[in-house]
Structures are given as C-alpha cells and as structure tokens.
Amino acid sequence: VQLQASGGGLVQAGGSLRLSCAASVRAFRRYAMGWFRQAPGKEREFVAAISRSGGSTYYADSVKGRFTISRDNAKNTVYLQMNSLKPEDTAVYYCAARESTLVPTDLTYDYWAQGTQVTVSS
C-alpha cells in the first residue's frame, strides 16, 4: 500500500485548504482511513477518520465543526477539507490506512503517507 498526501500550503488564519491522499492499493474500500498531524516539538495526534464506506466519520474535538473528512472509493482518495484555519492548526499532516472494519482514532494504522505541510499565519 502506498499513500501520497498533497494539498498543503501557506494560508492566512480563517482560510481554507483541502488535503488529498491518494492510495495505490487494490480494494481501497476495505481500508479505514485517517488523518493525523504533528506540530514541531509535539507528538503526532489524531485529526479525523472515516470508515470504509464513508458512512461513519470521527473528529478530534479541536477540529470538529471546521474540518470534514470524506472519501471517493472510485478514485482511491480520501480528503480533508479544512475551514476556518487557525495558527494552531500549523503542522505536518499525514494520512494513514488500515484494512479494518473498525475505524481507529489512534496511531494503530498500518500504512502512512509522507506528510504535507500546512502553515497558518496569523
């Protein structure tokens, strides 16, 4: 399984970005997908996750109401729409995959993408 995250960049506070994560894998629909982030000097933390069908989504309290995770199983891609961005959202963002009916909200994913940098200026 190979994952490629993209879409990061520099944005002003209050702005929006959409991250994408393309998966090179057969049967993408068998994988729960998650987004995580890691700020300098901090541990990697959970941001959002989505079930295999896309019918269930989970969010960290810090992003609830501002971020939306979605997936397109026909395109083998998961997205993270980030609105109302804050300087504290600045981090490297990672997507991850796990072949599972469960949807982990911790670091127990099997496959990880290289990160994409998101910087929010005040």
Side-chain angles (χ1 to χ4, degrees):
V1 177
Q2 291 187 325
L3 303 174
Q4 180 68 48
S6 61
L10 174 64
V11 63
Q12 289 188 333
S16 298
L17 281 174
R18 188 175 83 153
L19 305 183
S20 298
C21 177
S24 297
V25 63
R26 290 186 178 182
F28 176 69
R29 63 185 179 278
R30 296 178 60 86
Y31 290 79
M33 300 295 296
W35 284 98
F36 294 77
R37 66 187 182 186
Q38 188 166 17
K42 295 188 177 181
E43 294 185 349
R44 192 170 299 190
E45 65 176 4
F46 168 74
V47 175
I50 190 166
S51 63
R52 301 191 302 180
S53 67
S56 297
T57 56
Y58 305 86
Y59 297 94
D61 288 343
S62 59
V63 306
K64 206 170 290 184
R66 300 188 297 121
F67 291 11
T68 302
I69 188 171
S70 62
R71 66 190 293 162
D72 186 337
N73 285 347
K75 295 183 178 180
N76 283 19
T77 302
V78 63
Y79 304 98
L80 186 67
Q81 178 66 44
M82 305 186 296
N83 298 330
S84 302
L85 282 161
K86 304 175 181 180
E88 51 264 43
D89 295 318
T90 295
V92 177
Y93 283 71
Y94 301 87
C95 65
R98 177 172 174 175
E99 187 174 2
S100 174
T101 56
L102 302 177
V103 186
T105 58
D106 56 16
L107 296 175
T108 58
Y109 282 78
D110 299 314
Y111 305 99
W112 293 82
Q114 297 288 338
T116 185
Q117 176 72 47
V118 172
T119 302
V120 184
S121 63
S122 57

